[in-house]
Amino acid sequence: MAREFIYLVPEIIVLATALGVLVLDLVLGAKRKPLILALASVAGLLAAAGFTANLMGQRAIVMADMFVIDSFGLVLKVVILVGAALSVLLAVGFLERPKSHPGEYDFLIVASTLGMMVMTGSNNLLLAFLGIQLTSIPLYILAGFKRNDSKSSEAALKYFLLGVLTAALMLYGMSLLYGLTGTLNLTTIAARLGGIKTNDPVLFLGMVFIIAGFSFKIAAVPFHFWAPDVYEGSPTCVTAFISAVPKIAGFAVLLRLVYTAFPALTPQWTGLMALMAVLTMVTGNIMAIPQKDIKRMLAFSGIAHVGYALIALAVPGQNAMGALVFYLLAYSAMTAGAFTIVVAVGRVSHEHQITSFAGLGTRAPVLAAAMTVFLLSMLGFPLTAGFTGKFLVFSAAIEKHYVWLALIGVINSVISLYYYFGVVRQMYLTPARATTKMQVSGLVWLLIAIALTVTFALGIYPEPVINLTRHLVVLFARF
Amino acid sequence: MATQAVIWLIPVVPAVAFIALLALGRVRRAAAPYIGLTAAVLSLVGAIWAVVAVGRAGTINFDFIWLTVGNVPLKIGMYIDPLAAVMLVVVTTVSLLVQIYSIGYMKGEKRLSWYYAAVSLFTASMLSLVIANNFLQLYISWELVGLCSYLLIGFWYEKKSASSAAMKAFIITRIGDVGFFLGLALLFVNTHTFDFSAVRQIVAAGSLGAGTLTAIALLFFAGAAGKSAQFPLHVWLPDAMEGPTPVSALIHAATMVAAGVYLVARSFFIFEAAHPAALQVVAGIGAFTAILAAVIAVTMTDIKKVLAYSTISQLGFMMAALGVGGYTAAIFHLTTHAFFKALLFLGAGSVIHGAGTQNIYEMGGLLKKMKVTGWTFLIATLSIAGIVPLSGFWSKDEILTEAAKSGNYIILGVLLVTAFLTAFYMFRLYFVVFTGPVRDEHAHESPAVMTYPLLILAVPAALLGLAGSPLLGNWFTKFIALPGAEHIAAAPDYLMMGLSTAAALAGIGLAWVMYKRNLSEERFGRTLFYFFNIAKRRFFLDELYQFLIVRPIMRLAAASAWFDIKVLDGAVNSVGPLAVHGGYRAAQFDSVVINNVYDSGINIIKTIGEATRRRVNTGLIPRYLAYILAGFVVLAVIVYVLFVMVK
Amino acid sequence: MVPLQYYIIMSAILFTIGIYGVLARRNAILVLLSVEIMFNAVNINFMAFSAYITPATMVGQIYTIFAVASGAAEIGIGLAIILLIYRGRETVNVDEVNMLKW
């Protein structure tokens, strides 16, 4: 029993960090409180990341078979933790917080992160549900963090109501599945499904309900409606967090669910994923084109990226799983980088129109160059993370004879050029409205440098990560 | 070993120059050209070294492992065979001359260091494309040159048309790249390597199905068609003329646009192993592009657009040559074309610089004002028209010979007509611009820094062809030939030489008659009237025109002082105006239909997006809830029907 | 003993009523309540399955307790958000909450 807790050390650290931040928030004096609390949270998150990395290579199922420790989950947890730490840093100096309790933001981020870690490791539907709730509830609050801004409240309400509805659908599906198999454990479900006809409509309905619930978290079409509105309304730091980190956990739990519990239903869920992938790519790209607000544009672009990643889920197999993990890493790096720049530019222009990037190439050349790199990466330009990711995903699809799916994906990535280069065009090929140079804080440079490093590293020298992702898929519980 | 180091440096030096220019450019703008120039000179020296080394020791191929995916090593490497060596020299020479020329042409430009930085980055990427030893490296460089092209077309972004043209060029070439990318993935999935020589072995071993190979070949060709502006992806190139003229010379005439031809040449062994239809598609598209663009070029009044369509047409020539199996002919023409077309563009830039306009009808008599530009332009014009013994003659003749040898007489016929049209539109351009009365007294010759590159380029534009001519024993052809084909000496085909010369002379003659009438226009009109004696058919032709020619075009024609009733009346009626009018119709087709397909494609997507977001993303929570539920039900039903009930 | 089917049918009916409420109601609080009805339908399912299928392990009952707890947290947050909306625009009609759109 005591041994099992070793595997849970990262989660415990994160929990302690969350509670510690709350307590510190009450105890400390007001002076420099935001910075101290942020640093404390970052320290906790990074410590947890360190412990997680330390567990790498181990395999175990703990807590009455509910919680899986495997390299697949561990890698994604490290990414989630680092992403959360960066989000906490991003908020320092950029977020208007209530004077009395500035630590609420950090607490909510850390709490949500704990939820994501639970999601990523769960081998049980109950735990997955609790993980989702623990992730979502802080996010609802974060979306409405600017209390005096009605747009922010509206974002929170939309996120909340749509989230609760899909949670209800998911729960209903779980109850059906429970009724059929008598268990909530993913591994046991797979075993018991052997005795059930795979064309049982109730089983199918249960599976689709659950997948729908998880698809909400990753904003796959048709469960994506919250994304653009929430991205636009939330404070941009929160948007950066929502757009990158929870999606990783969402994909992790989705992948665990279908691979662990439903191997018997592979044709059905691959079909569903393929259909959602196409819808998601097409919708995301088409809707991104007419957008004028950069946060909405990035929301739809993010939806499109989820579509590309779903291709990897629609194609069963090890290469596809590795490609999915790689794509998630690439996606979170470039999205986080792009949003950091949106935050920095929004700080000066006080708006988020794409036109506010006009002339950035002369006003802040390095910032503009970095933004160009992130946009090129999203586009799938060679030597960036996005290219490697797309190449892995599409070749995995072609390998399994899903050429049509790859074709749709590549065509979509051409369409995406139109709106990504809309921004590049603003930055380089449009005269600036203001000629003053833009001042950017050192913290922002740090975050951008990290995102740039990852984006380039995954593009220029992806070997370690590709091999890691392939390797860890072998260590995935079922293989 | 030393050779390897030198070859590495060829692309690395301009890349370093790019970084240096970005870093230092702000501080020392005046030094910018010299940083770029130094790099270009070093690259040129390296390229010459490489050619000599290849000539001595044969193909150089070396690489190192960049990364290992699974157990598949991906490499970065250098593959210098004669093809790559020739391309290296072409790219470095043209790049160097263009950079020298730009000192004069871009004088006083605010963003001069950015200009040189982008040109250096382009040179580095293009060189890396040429020496790549695997398809992945080639693809990476391929995208990079596209990006540089985007940046340089939009260099004068204060002009809205420039930034739209940049966007359009990038999008349209990316459409072709869809094919290239998928072909790459298909190749990799089937062979687990990108390496040229490894793929060649696998293809030679016959372990790949003809269907797969054909698919790969056609997908690659889609990419090549985008880059090399082949129908229907050619529409970006004329718009790309919004960029500075030296850039047009470098990127959109001599080097980048030839990358498509290079790709097909590089993967020629795939095309050969594929179903014959693959090469037939290449030949067909190439020939069609050649004639279509030539016809359109006849009507253009912007000097750069004439040259742009001419480039498209000549690239079509090369593609057609590849399609009929004329590998060496295509590369030969690519090489000669790079020089004479670069010369034409730089000459055009000099003309624009001196005359201050791009409209050829606002120029005239410039030969008197601009001696060097005029005479070098004439050399290039004669060369592209295919006059013995200039470069263009030999390479074009070789293509025609190959077409004849392949027995594909439709392609041959089309190419002959294109050769005729080429001579016609080029001399139309020459006569209008350089002869006749002086229209602008202020026109002046460009500074020496611009005219010297013209003089230097005139040498290969005139003489390079001799290297591949039977006079020198087809040295070039043998050098470039695919392994095993070196000894198939092309016997000089005098019939073809005669035909192509006849076509060229006919074109020049027609242009002379139609556009140089200021000498004795009436007499020529009358002479030709009797000569062809088709007056009886005049009524029929008039009616046909009425029927065929759209009014606005008619008005345009009437507005032009050159479009004199006498000519319409005259015997030239049968050919000249037909070509011109055909050109207008083709231009109309080009701008209305093809461009509209592109524009409306984007517009349709935009409209759909706009409509959906107004109707669906209404911002109303109840709607969203309903859409989610409805979407869920629809999804579930579709998947249920497809995957549960059907089984 | 009441047969299992009765519970399932009742739960299905409740679930449908909840969906109807979600779609038909315009007051944000009532929408939230309708979702809660859906949650309760799920809870009934779980309890019934637990009693009839796996009486020994009580998985369903445990699940329900967790679901109720997290549901309570959710309601708390939900009401707070609705209150925030009300403070901002003096209405909780979801039809009037559409500043973010397109």
Side-chain angles (χ1 to χ4, degrees):
Chain A
M1 191 64 202
R3 228 192 112 53
E4 287 198 345
F5 278 100
I6 293 174
Y7 296 114
L8 297 178
V9 167
E11 280 79 6
I12 293 169
I13 294 177
V14 174
L15 179 62
T17 310
L19 299 176
V21 167
L22 265 193
V23 174
L24 278 179
D25 195 17
L26 292 176
V27 177
L28 284 179
K31 215 180 168 196
R32 319 214 69 174
K33 201 151 73 166
L35 186 62
I36 295 169
L37 290 173
L39 289 179
S41 320
V42 170
L45 290 168
L46 291 183
F51 272 98
T52 313
N54 199 34
L55 287 173
M56 206 74 79
Q58 306 217 35
R59 286 179 65 190
I61 301 191
V62 296
M63 307 285 280
D65 289 350
M66 284 180 105
F67 199 68
V68 192
I69 308 293
D70 59 9
S71 301
F72 169 77
L74 292 172
V75 167
L76 292 185
K77 276 183 205 168
V78 171
V79 179
I80 289 169
L81 286 165
V82 173
L86 297 182
S87 301
V88 170
L89 278 184
L90 181 61
V92 178
F94 278 111
L95 190 73
E96 286 174 37
R97 336 176 173 222
K99 287 243 158 49
S100 51
H101 299 296
E104 279 173 4
Y105 174 85
D106 308 300
F107 165 73
L108 290 169
I109 294 271
V110 177
S112 180
T113 309
L114 180 61
M116 290 174 215
M117 296 175 76
V118 172
M119 269 166 88
T120 309
S122 64
N123 190 40
N124 184 297
L125 288 177
L126 171 58
L127 198 62
F129 170 66
L130 290 178
I132 287 191
Q133 291 295 79
L134 187 50
T135 309
S136 303
I137 292 174
L139 290 182
Y140 300 147
I141 308 175
L142 283 170
F145 201 75
K146 279 198 267 179
R147 281 181 220 174
N148 298 324
D149 179 354
S150 18
K151 280 192 175 175
S152 183
S153 321
E154 182 177 331
L157 183 68
K158 283 182 174 166
Y159 199 11
F160 174 73
L161 283 181
L162 303 184
V164 188
L165 176 75
T166 39
L169 295 181
M170 176 176 65
L171 277 180
Y172 197 72
M174 288 181 181
S175 75
L176 292 182
L177 204 60
Y178 174 58
L180 277 175
T181 61
T183 177
L184 290 168
N185 186 294
L186 296 184
T187 328
T188 324
I189 289 175
R192 300 223 176 129
L193 281 184
I196 300 175
K197 279 193 296 180
T198 52
N199 59 358
D200 185 336
V202 178
L203 171 61
F204 175 74
L205 203 60
M207 180 183 82
V208 176
F209 268 126
I210 299 175
I211 291 179
F214 292 155
S215 305
F216 175 82
K217 276 260 83 71
I218 59 174
V221 175
F223 309 102
H224 68 289
F225 287 99
W226 60 274
D229 292 2
V230 170
Y231 281 29
E232 188 189 341
S234 308
T236 312
C237 307
V238 176
T239 309
F241 183 67
I242 295 180
S243 67
V245 189
K247 282 184 186 171
I248 299 174
F251 267 106
V253 75
L254 197 52
L255 190 131
R256 263 197 214 288
L257 173 81
V258 292
Y259 274 91
T260 315
F262 297 121
L265 291 170
T266 306
Q268 281 88 333
W269 61 256
T270 47
L272 181 63
M273 296 295 175
L275 193 61
M276 284 211 298
V278 173
L279 283 176
T280 309
M281 285 186 288
V282 172
T283 310
N285 277 315
I286 289 184
M287 301 291 283
I289 288 182
Q291 298 304 330
K292 306 215 159 38
D293 183 299
I294 188 137
K295 282 161 79 182
R296 280 185 90 78
M297 188 277 267
L298 285 174
F300 282 111
S301 125
I303 291 172
H305 282 285
V306 167
Y308 303 130
L310 276 173
I311 292 181
L313 262 184
V315 191
Q318 275 191 29
N319 283 352
M321 287 170 71
L324 175 64
V325 176
F326 189 94
Y327 203 90
L328 289 178
L329 298 185
Y331 168 78
S332 39
M334 59 210 188
T335 309
F339 267 111
T340 307
I341 293 172
V342 172
V343 170
V345 172
R347 176 86 171 164
V348 177
S349 64
H350 303 291
E351 54 158 347
H352 298 107
Q353 296 295 302
I354 294 176
T355 46
S356 66
F357 278 73
L360 199 69
T362 49
R363 292 182 64 197
V366 183
L367 212 57
M371 187 69 179
T372 310
V373 171
F374 296 131
L375 292 170
L376 283 175
S377 178
M378 291 184 190
L379 185 62
F381 202 81
L383 297 183
T384 59
F387 172 75
T388 324
K390 280 208 175 77
F391 191 82
L392 291 174
V393 169
F394 294 147
S395 0
I398 289 175
E399 197 178 7
K400 299 278 175 184
H401 305 291
Y402 280 83
V403 180
W404 61 275
L405 205 51
L407 181 68
I408 295 175
V410 183
I411 290 175
N412 266 292
S413 71
V414 172
I415 297 176
S416 70
L417 184 125
Y418 194 80
Y419 55 86
Y420 290 136
F421 266 65
V423 182
V424 175
R425 189 171 166 172
Q426 286 293 333
M427 293 191 300
Y428 287 104
L429 306 185
T430 309
R433 281 184 288 182
T435 47
T436 47
K437 295 271 175 203
M438 254 184 65
Q439 295 301 321
V440 181
S441 72
L443 197 62
V444 167
W445 286 129
L446 173 74
L447 296 175
I448 292 174
I450 293 171
L452 265 185
T453 313
V454 177
T455 305
F456 272 128
L458 294 184
I460 293 171
Y461 194 70
E463 173 180 339
V465 182
I466 293 179
N467 289 335
L468 176 71
T469 51
R470 293 193 171 211
H471 176 66
L472 60 91
V473 166
V474 180
L475 294 178
F476 185 75
R478 215 172 64 76
F479 285 96
Chain B
M1 209 54 220
T3 307
Q4 286 195 6
V6 169
I7 293 172
W8 273 118
L9 286 177
I10 298 173
V12 168
V13 170
V16 171
F18 164 69
I19 294 166
L21 280 162
L22 275 193
L24 301 176
R26 265 160 208 289
V27 195
R28 313 191 57 129
R29 196 168 68 203
Y34 302 100
I35 299 177
L37 276 179
T38 316
V41 170
L42 290 176
S43 287
L44 177 59
V45 172
I48 292 169
W49 183 309
V51 175
V52 173
V54 170
R56 270 202 210 129
T59 300
I60 301 166
N61 184 9
F62 61 92
D63 49 34
F64 70 89
I65 294 179
W66 169 29
L67 35 112
T68 311
V69 177
N71 45 14
V72 181
L74 297 183
K75 296 169 184 168
I76 294 188
M78 305 286 156
Y79 182 82
I80 318 279
D81 62 348
L83 169 61
V86 168
M87 290 292 287
L88 273 181
V89 174
V90 171
V91 174
T92 47
T93 316
V94 178
S95 172
L96 174 63
L97 292 173
V98 162
Q99 291 191 43
I100 297 174
Y101 180 92
S102 298
I103 297 176
Y105 193 84
M106 304 298 283
K107 199 169 183 183
E109 180 60 47
K110 266 193 309 194
R111 296 183 292 268
L112 193 64
S113 42
W114 171 236
Y115 172 83
Y116 273 94
V119 170
S120 292
L121 180 64
F122 170 78
T123 309
S125 324
M126 190 68 208
L127 290 170
S128 141
L129 187 155
V130 167
I131 59 183
N133 85 331
N134 62 75
F135 284 108
L136 184 63
Q137 193 183 341
L138 196 151
Y139 179 79
I140 291 171
S141 321
W142 178 276
E143 292 290 6
L144 278 174
V145 289
L147 185 65
C148 297
S149 156
Y150 168 86
L151 291 171
L152 284 165
I153 296 172
F155 182 74
W156 285 319
Y157 58 72
E158 290 85 353
K159 272 197 297 181
K160 190 153 191 328
S161 54
S163 73
S164 318
M167 190 82 172
K168 183 171 173 183
F170 203 42
I171 290 187
I172 291 187
T173 47
R174 285 284 296 193
I175 292 174
D177 291 350
V178 170
F180 193 5
F181 184 88
L182 281 178
L184 214 58
L186 196 60
L187 180 81
F188 186 71
V189 166
N190 281 298
T191 63
H192 297 287
T193 179
F194 288 116
D195 212 67
F196 291 148
S197 35
V199 173
R200 193 191 294 269
Q201 279 169 13
I202 292 170
V203 170
S207 54
L208 286 181
T212 313
L213 284 171
T214 312
I216 295 174
L218 287 177
L219 287 168
F220 277 12
F221 179 64
K227 211 51 135 195
S228 285
Q230 297 295 292
F231 178 85
L233 298 177
H234 63 284
V235 282
W236 65 270
L237 188 57
D239 287 26
M241 296 300 126
E242 292 288 344
T245 307
V247 166
S248 310
L250 175 62
I251 301 184
H252 306 118
T255 57
M256 186 189 84
V257 288
V261 179
Y262 180 78
L263 172 66
V264 176
R266 229 338 137 226
S267 45
F268 202 62
F269 59 94
I270 299 180
F271 283 82
E272 282 180 320
H275 190 273
L279 277 177
Q280 278 161 15
V281 168
V282 176
I285 300 261
F288 181 69
T289 310
I291 193 162
L292 177 77
V295 168
I296 296 173
V298 170
T299 68
M300 289 290 135
T301 54
D302 179 321
I303 185 167
K304 286 184 74 180
K305 294 238 161 135
V306 176
L307 294 179
Y309 277 106
S310 162
T311 307
I312 298 174
S313 170
Q314 297 297 310
L315 290 165
F317 244 94
M318 297 170 210
M319 283 293 183
L322 286 167
V324 296
Y327 172 85
T328 51
I331 301 305
F332 187 23
H333 196 57
L334 191 165
T335 314
T336 57
H337 173 260
F339 289 108
F340 62 66
K341 190 50 72 61
L343 176 54
L344 285 172
F345 264 106
L346 294 185
S350 174
V351 166
I352 295 165
H353 192 261
T357 172
Q358 297 195 185
N359 187 337
I360 54 173
Y361 290 112
E362 291 171 11
M363 303 167 186
L366 286 179
L367 188 57
K368 291 180 199 125
K369 298 273 182 185
M370 311 175 77
K371 287 253 160 37
V372 180
T373 308
W375 286 108
T376 50
F377 204 89
L378 181 62
I379 292 173
T381 308
L382 285 166
S383 187
I384 191 177
I387 298 299
V388 189
L390 300 171
S391 296
F393 169 77
W394 300 110
S395 55
K396 196 177 285 182
D397 177 63
E398 201 173 323
I399 291 179
L400 294 171
T401 310
E402 289 287 349
K405 217 163 63 184
S406 74
N408 202 332
Y409 293 107
I410 299 173
I411 302 280
L412 176 64
V414 171
L415 293 183
L416 272 172
V417 174
T418 310
F420 158 74
L421 286 169
T422 308
F424 176 60
Y425 68 70
M426 281 313 300
F427 272 90
R428 162 183 178 262
L429 178 68
Y430 192 82
F431 289 143
V432 171
V433 172
F434 287 102
T435 66
V438 175
R439 281 168 191 268
D440 180 4
E441 285 300 331
H442 304 292
H444 56 87
E445 181 61 288
S446 304
V449 73
M450 287 167 71
T451 51
Y452 274 103
L454 298 180
L455 288 169
I456 298 170
L457 271 175
V459 177
L463 302 178
L464 184 70
L466 291 172
S469 71
L471 302 177
L472 293 180
N474 300 83
W475 173 83
F476 186 90
T477 318
K478 283 176 188 160
F479 178 63
I480 204 87
L482 288 170
E486 295 95 335
H487 302 296
I488 306 168
D493 186 337
Y494 295 108
L495 175 65
M496 271 311 131
M497 290 188 186
L499 277 177
S500 81
T501 308
L505 289 176
I508 297 173
L510 187 64
W512 193 49
V513 170
M514 282 185 66
Y515 295 102
K516 210 172 156 25
R517 290 166 309 122
N518 55 323
L519 292 177
S520 52
E521 76 188 37
E522 278 186 41
R523 212 180 58 204
F524 271 102
R526 241 178 292 136
T527 321
L528 284 159
F529 181 84
Y530 293 118
F531 201 66
F532 290 100
N533 195 18
I534 53 152
K536 281 176 198 161
R537 283 201 276 156
R538 203 171 66 194
F539 277 115
F540 170 67
L541 269 179
D542 281 350
E543 279 154 15
L544 193 70
Y545 285 155
Q546 286 299 326
F547 184 69
L548 282 179
I549 295 160
V550 195
R551 254 178 209 189
I553 297 167
M554 208 45 192
R555 256 184 239 134
L556 194 80
S560 141
W562 297 88
F563 231 83
D564 174 276
I565 299 293
K566 274 266 158 69
V567 184
L568 279 171
D569 272 356
V572 196
N573 243 345
S574 51
V575 192
L578 207 77
V580 175
H581 286 295
Y584 278 118
R585 291 190 63 77
Q588 193 196 19
F589 169 73
D590 198 57
S591 65
V592 176
V593 181
I594 310 270
N595 263 328
N596 271 3
V597 167
Y598 158 76
D599 288 335
S600 52
I602 287 287
N603 280 338
I604 287 169
I605 295 174
K606 250 187 170 165
T607 317
I608 295 174
E610 193 62 37
T612 341
R613 75 185 186 127
R614 302 264 168 200
R615 301 227 169 81
V616 181
N617 286 46
T618 48
L620 291 168
I621 296 169
R623 296 275 177 88
Y624 287 175
L625 294 168
Y627 291 141
I628 287 183
L629 287 169
F632 169 75
V633 171
V634 171
L635 261 188
V637 168
I638 292 176
V639 176
Y640 186 73
V641 170
L642 284 181
F643 294 97
V644 183
M645 267 168 56
V646 172
K647 285 183 82 187
Chain C
M1 206 168 157
V2 186
L4 177 58
Q5 284 85 338
Y6 285 40
Y7 289 104
I8 301 175
I9 290 168
M10 180 189 159
S11 138
I13 291 172
L14 262 186
F15 195 74
T16 321
I17 291 174
I19 290 183
Y20 173 78
V22 165
L23 295 179
R25 290 294 171 185
R26 288 296 178 266
N27 184 319
I29 296 179
L30 291 181
V31 174
L32 183 53
L33 279 185
S34 305
V35 179
E36 285 306 311
I37 294 177
M38 294 168 76
F39 276 125
N40 285 331
V42 172
N43 289 343
I44 289 175
N45 251 358
F46 268 112
M47 293 301 285
F49 285 136
S50 178
Y52 282 79
I53 295 177
T54 56
T57 58
M58 297 202 302
V59 171
Q61 293 188 34
I62 297 168
Y63 195 106
T64 309
I65 289 172
F66 275 107
V68 168
S70 87
E74 220 163 40
I75 282 278
I77 297 298
L79 288 178
I81 293 173
I82 293 171
L83 202 64
L84 217 55
I85 292 276
Y86 184 75
R87 275 210 317 224
R89 32 192 126 186
E90 310 227 314
T91 175
V92 288
N93 186 336
V94 283
D95 273 345
E96 290 169 33
V97 185
N98 67 339
M99 285 169 74
L100 304 167
K101 58 188 166 189
W102 299 337

